[in-house]
Amino acid sequence: MSEKPERSGPQALQEPSLDEQITAYQREFRDLDPQVEKVVSALGRLNRRMNVAYGRQLADLGISNAEWEVLKTLVLSGEPYRLGPGELAKRLGLTPAAMTHRIDRMAGEGLVTRDRDENNRVRVIVELTDEGRTKWLEAMRMATAFEEDLLQDLSTEEKGVLGDVLIRLLRRVEHTQPDAGGRLTDLD
């Protein structure tokens, strides 16, 4: 009788190792390519664990992942870090109602302002505040430290190759699933 390797941590009882998962999949679905499954399953698990780590960092800053997405989108829009709620909703793949709810919450927390456009009084403008930019910068500092630690065992060349391979995979998904960038449902 062979012994299973011991695993520790909260996932120990909940999730099989990748090898155990692939063996079970192959038992049930004989056409499975174990190399493909290993890559895809590892990417999925890495994504989940990274999302948990980022979520913890954001929680330490007192912001949610949903708020981070708005801050990031405003920063990516460039100075003066302003967009209309409709454009924000479109870029984040959200409904206008969900975007309004998110903006209300963030304005109440001082992360953004919402004012009428002086040139078009019907139009509303959402703008990043100094507090919002400070939260964004701190989140970036924390994420950068986490990401550098995550990739510390890879050489510069390996990081480049891994980045290129992941971009190729991303492009394939974007080509075959062009609508996959948006949300299927609102996250709020």
Side-chain angles (χ1 to χ4, degrees):
M1 180 174 172
S2 67
E3 291 187 37
K4 290 184 182 179
E6 286 190 42
R7 284 177 270 139
S8 61
Q11 295 293 319
L13 299 175
Q14 299 173 1
E15 190 170 37
S17 71
L18 282 178
D19 289 337
E20 291 168 338
Q21 178 181 322
I22 291 166
T23 298
Y25 283 1
Q26 284 180 301
R27 181 182 66 237
E28 302 297 325
F29 183 69
R30 299 207 186 278
D31 294 338
L32 182 80
D33 182 331
Q35 288 180 312
V36 169
E37 188 59 34
K38 186 174 191 175
V39 169
V40 173
S41 293
L43 284 172
R45 286 185 185 196
L46 179 61
N47 181 56
R48 281 194 318 271
R49 284 163 175 77
M50 289 177 69
N51 283 335
V52 167
Y54 292 137
R56 286 180 180 144
Q57 291 175 341
L58 293 173
D60 288 345
L61 293 174
I63 60 175
S64 68
N65 188 55
E67 292 168 331
W68 161 254
E69 291 291 330
V70 174
L71 298 177
K72 178 177 71 172
T73 302
L74 288 168
V75 168
L76 289 174
S77 74
E79 285 192 70
Y81 314 119
R82 305 171 75 197
L83 289 171
E87 182 62 24
L88 271 169
K90 182 178 173 185
R91 291 183 186 197
L92 292 172
L94 297 172
T95 63
M99 192 74 252
T100 298
H101 175 72
R102 195 171 292 183
I103 292 167
D104 287 346
R105 192 172 62 236
M106 293 179 72
E109 295 170 359
L111 300 173
V112 299
T113 59
R114 177 184 37 217
D115 293 308
R116 295 272 176 211
D117 185 339
E118 292 179 15
N119 299 322
N120 177 351
R121 300 297 296 163
V122 175
R123 185 170 185 244
V124 172
I125 297 291
V126 178
E127 185 171 350
L128 188 65
T129 63
D130 289 342
E131 174 69 14
R133 181 155 170 75
T134 298
K135 294 277 186 178
W136 179 81
L137 285 169
E138 187 57 30
M140 289 299 293
R141 283 185 197 95
M142 294 169 79
T144 298
F146 168 71
E147 292 158 0
E148 287 174 356
D149 183 61
L150 177 69
L151 299 175
Q152 70 180 330
D153 296 329
L154 300 180
S155 69
T156 301
E157 181 181 341
E158 288 172 322
K159 290 174 195 172
V161 169
L162 179 60
D164 290 343
V165 168
L166 291 173
I167 292 295
R168 284 185 7 224
L169 295 175
L170 178 60
R171 285 186 180 140
R172 174 153 320 267
V173 170
E174 290 173 342
H175 177 74
T176 60
Q177 306 290 320
D179 63 340
R183 309 262 196 274
L184 295 178
T185 59
D186 291 332
L187 301 178
D188 294 302

